[in-house]
Amino acid sequence: QVQLVESGGGLVQPGGSLRLSCAASGSIVGFNAVGWSRQAPGKERELVARMATGGSTDYADSVKGRFTISRDNAKKTVYLQMNSLKPEDTAVYYCKLESWYADYWGQGTQVTVSS
């Protein structure tokens, strides 16, 4: 059974930075991609950043140039560096693992951008 645990969320002022981490545990035979999505109150979950196995990345237009996804395969951890945060970035952030056989989600971590 694969488990994903996010951490690093919190309250930050506009213009500030946060780094989210997502640690995976369990048996992962192989995967196609890892990524981060977010869901704000009253809105649908949206993809924020995604990294394929080969390292190629995709970002939502709203975060391009501000957010960076990375991973450490040895630590089985995915990161999301978020800079120049805006109030509209406020949401619950979820990491996702697209394995060969199933997709797995973490429980989410709250990010609040407010002065």
Side-chain angles (χ1 to χ4, degrees):
Q1 184 73 11
V2 176
Q3 289 188 325
L4 304 176
V5 179
E6 301 101 332
S7 61
L11 173 65
V12 63
Q13 292 186 343
S17 298
L18 282 175
R19 188 177 82 153
L20 305 183
S21 299
C22 174
S25 62
S27 178
I28 303 172
V29 176
F31 66 97
N32 297 315
V34 292
W36 291 91
S37 295
R38 66 186 181 188
Q39 188 165 20
K43 295 187 177 181
E44 294 186 353
R45 190 173 298 190
E46 63 171 349
L47 176 69
V48 173
R50 183 178 183 269
M51 176 181 278
T53 306
S56 61
T57 56
D58 292 298
Y59 294 94
D61 288 342
S62 59
V63 307
K64 282 182 181 177
R66 300 188 297 123
F67 290 12
T68 303
I69 187 172
S70 62
R71 70 174 190 248
D72 185 329
N73 290 339
K75 295 182 178 180
K76 294 199 289 187
T77 301
V78 181
Y79 304 97
L80 184 68
Q81 178 67 43
M82 307 186 293
N83 299 326
S84 302
L85 284 161
K86 305 175 181 180
E88 50 263 44
D89 294 318
T90 295
V92 178
Y93 284 70
Y94 300 88
C95 69
K96 179 183 179 183
L97 172 68
E98 300 173 25
S99 78
W100 289 351
Y101 306 106
D103 292 346
Y104 299 93
W105 291 90
Q107 82 290 349
T109 185
Q110 177 70 46
V111 172
T112 302
V113 185
S114 175
S115 55

